[in-house]
Amino acid sequence: MLEDHTAPAARLPVQQTSPQPDPRLVPGGPAAAPPAEAAWPESYPEGYAVVDVETTGLAPGDRIVSAAVYRLTARGEVEDHWYTLVNPERDPGPTWLHGLTAEMLADAPVFAEVAGEFAARLAGRVLVAHNAVFDWTMIAREYARASRTAPVEQRLCTILLAKALGLPLPNHKLESLAAYFGVEQRRAHHALDDARVLAEAFRPSLHRAARQRLPLPLLVCRPITEWSDAPPSGGGRTARWGGWRQPKRRPACPYPNPGRFEAGGRLRQGMRVAFSGDTSVDRELLEDQAFEAGLHVASSVSRLTSLLVTNYPEAATGKVTRARELGTPILDEAAFTQLLRDVAPADPGPAGRGAAAAPPVREV
């Protein structure tokens, strides 16, 4: 089940999707590597682990069914790659997406059996993934289940990097990033091929960032130290479809909306808070903390939104764009987390009486 290619490799060639060379990849093109004599940014990491995992679903209880890692040098050169199937010890989820059936995974190793080799591939490197918060969260949960900690301190999301570079993409799907750099996708949603595609697209992205002296969007990876697969108490129900669970839904906030956040002021119970982009803390955990403090966690930005939390206020995401159109205040994660420590109680005025007295109810 394990596929290991450890022989040193030359730079992974960029594959063209048409007979004509892509002008972005020829010498002097916008994505071309800087000259050999150009100084490489000293702040850039010493190595990267480009990762892709396929899973049984998106919820906290879902499992990894396959994983792949391409190890790259400081300048994005491929060192080796590794791939494994993983027995999720449950149904495989959306087989129509990743193509892995229960029969195919029956004899695969469980995660605890590959955790050591996986860790060796990640150690001392920045984890790179497309929508990195998802891959990192799934990996961290698997290590927590195995009573271990993944040796990853930082991650880099290629969606955030593409946005920071201002790449003219129609959207931020992996296929769009691949097409921009002329990389051929052979098997979408196959962990090994997705990791290969991302490795090929990451190198010119990295060199373009270096040429522009652009700080890389590195985020801290905080490991999960405890885990339990036991169902929560309280009789809560989770929507299911063949093991494919819907994202978490929370009950309505019991407090009235006091309006927009004011710079220099405090957060107040009832404020509507939206989140955009990758966060150093698991997004669901951050949203839980906001909800438990009495804030309304919103899935979109509207005229009623009190503030938007994002680490990339210049990114052209839908939420950031909408917030700027409406004049919605924007805070980064660090500032929001600091304010979350001292949330003011709900306004006890006429609209808030009764509702303000009830503590927020956490969904179970």
Side-chain angles (χ1 to χ4, degrees):
M1 298 300 173
L2 299 178
E3 182 177 332
D4 192 352
H5 298 265
T6 55
R11 178 173 68 86
L12 197 64
V14 176
Q15 301 181 33
Q16 302 294 328
T17 56
S18 65
Q20 297 299 320
D22 190 321
R24 294 180 295 269
L25 303 176
V26 299
E37 64 273 11
W40 193 258
E42 294 182 359
S43 62
Y44 279 22
E46 292 298 317
Y48 304 89
V50 178
V51 173
D52 186 78
V53 297
E54 297 300 319
T55 68
T56 62
L58 307 175
D62 281 301
R63 307 294 301 272
I64 290 175
V65 295
S66 64
V69 182
Y70 268 76
R71 291 195 290 189
L72 309 182
T73 67
R75 299 200 180 201
E77 308 286 347
V78 174
E79 295 178 343
D80 55 48
H81 66 270
W82 173 83
Y83 170 74
T84 184
L85 297 178
V86 180
N87 185 335
E89 303 179 276
R90 49 155 290 173
D91 65 274
T95 57
W96 50 268
L97 185 66
H98 53 59
L100 299 174
T101 65
E103 291 74 19
M104 296 169 66
L105 298 172
D107 295 327
V110 297
F111 188 85
E113 294 173 329
V114 300
E117 180 64 18
F118 200 177
R121 303 282 166 174
L122 301 174
R125 298 169 184 268
V126 169
L127 184 150
V128 177
H130 205 63
N131 190 20
V133 66
F134 172 76
D135 294 80
W136 161 245
T137 299
M138 295 302 298
I139 291 169
R141 287 170 179 163
E142 289 288 6
Y143 273 96
R145 286 188 184 95
S147 299
R148 300 182 60 164
T149 300
V152 179
E153 296 182 358
Q154 292 181 309
R155 66 179 180 269
L156 186 156
C157 179
T158 48
I159 294 176
L160 296 181
L161 181 57
K163 291 177 179 178
L165 290 170
L167 301 185
L169 305 178
N171 53 56
H172 290 285
K173 296 180 180 179
L174 178 58
E175 62 191 55
S176 297
L177 184 65
Y180 180 79
F181 287 115
V183 180
E184 178 188 3
Q185 275 190 298
R186 299 167 189 161
R187 296 181 63 185
H189 298 293
H190 184 285
L192 183 59
D193 195 60
D194 280 354
R196 174 192 62 80
V197 168
L198 192 58
E200 293 189 21
F202 175 63
R203 182 181 184 276
S205 299
L206 178 64
H207 279 264
R208 177 179 288 196
R211 187 173 61 191
Q212 296 179 9
R213 316 302 293 180
L214 184 73
L216 295 178
L218 301 176
L219 291 173
V220 174
C221 288
R222 302 185 187 280
I224 299 173
T225 56
E226 296 182 1
W227 184 265
S228 174
D229 281 315
S233 60
R237 297 175 62 88
T238 304
R240 296 177 63 91
W241 172 80
W244 182 269
R245 288 183 284 273
Q246 297 295 323
K248 184 173 184 178
R249 293 183 179 180
R250 298 174 178 85
C253 178
Y255 306 117
N257 185 351
R260 287 185 172 177
F261 170 77
E262 295 183 2
R266 297 169 65 188
L267 295 175
R268 184 174 294 278
Q269 289 180 326
M271 283 186 170
R272 294 177 65 95
V273 182
F275 296 84
S276 177
D278 206 351
T279 55
S280 60
V281 175
D282 183 291
R283 170 74 77 82
E284 187 172 291
L285 175 59
L286 191 61
E287 291 179 348
D288 280 347
Q289 292 173 345
F291 179 77
E292 290 169 357
L295 304 179
H296 177 118
V297 177
S299 60
S300 61
V301 174
S302 71
R303 296 183 184 279
L304 298 177
T305 304
S306 303
L307 74 155
L308 174 67
V309 178
T310 179
N311 288 320
Y312 297 91
E314 301 303 323
T317 65
K319 290 180 182 177
V320 171
T321 300
R322 182 62 172 160
R324 294 200 176 283
E325 290 174 351
L326 297 174
T328 304
I330 298 176
L331 293 177
D332 64 19
E333 179 186 357
F336 176 74
T337 302
Q338 183 69 27
L339 290 170
L340 203 56
R341 298 176 181 176
D342 184 29
V343 177
D347 184 355
R353 288 197 182 102
V361 179
R362 183 175 181 179
E363 184 182 59
V364 294

